[in-house]
Amino acid sequence: MADERDAEAQMDADALYQEEMFTDRRVGALRRLTPVKRDGSRDETRPVLFVGQAEIMTNMGPVPLSFEIPGETLDQAVAGFGVAAQAAIERTVQQIQEMRRQQASQLVVPQGGLPPTMGGGGRGGGKIQLP
């Protein structure tokens, strides 16, 4: 069991990135992930990645968003932040709606239908039945 946990916690030395954080302190944050080699020098064979971070308010509280932003430079990533954030918001809203739909479909309906007082008529479907 301990060996499995150790195997899962191993970092991939060939997939390292140096992370830098940028923010306007208003809308969100932008992370620049620069690929580096094992010795910490820049790995020119892999592209720089940009990841946006923001949050939306829901009736359940704030929901954090994290989304990739296309671009090769910080300027391009800043310019593309709004479009990528909007797409992430739309995906998140759809996921929340799907979760609500799934929750609603899990309602338990008593066996035998509605009781006579609720328009079901006749006998109820409970386990105790009178002749």
Side-chain angles (χ1 to χ4, degrees):
M1 185 71 90
D3 292 336
E4 289 177 16
R5 284 183 290 205
D6 290 341
E8 292 175 10
Q10 293 296 319
M11 291 185 70
D12 183 354
D14 295 321
L16 296 175
Y17 286 86
Q18 179 180 0
E19 180 178 354
E20 297 173 89
M21 183 71 77
F22 303 90
T23 183
D24 66 354
R25 298 180 61 198
R26 188 176 58 88
V27 174
L30 185 66
R31 293 172 34 215
R32 177 170 54 192
L33 301 171
T34 304
V36 294
K37 297 177 185 175
R38 292 172 179 247
D39 64 359
S41 64
R42 169 78 164 89
D43 184 350
E44 299 292 336
T45 63
R46 296 185 289 149
V48 173
L49 304 175
F50 294 95
V51 178
Q53 296 176 317
E55 62 181 35
I56 57 172
M57 291 302 294
T58 69
N59 57 353
M60 297 177 292
V63 174
L65 300 175
S66 183
F67 45 92
E68 265 195 62
I69 303 173
E72 296 179 8
T73 66
L74 180 60
D75 191 41
Q76 290 173 348
V78 169
F81 185 94
V83 172
Q86 186 61 40
I89 290 169
E90 290 172 8
R91 276 192 311 273
T92 302
V93 167
Q94 288 174 353
Q95 290 171 347
I96 290 171
Q97 289 172 344
E98 177 62 20
M99 287 171 38
R100 285 183 181 157
R101 188 192 65 72
Q102 289 175 359
Q103 285 290 336
S105 70
Q106 292 179 357
L107 294 176
V108 177
V109 178
Q111 183 182 13
L114 298 173
T117 58
M118 297 184 74
R123 295 174 136 174
K127 295 197 184 225
I128 301 176
Q129 295 185 4
L130 300 174

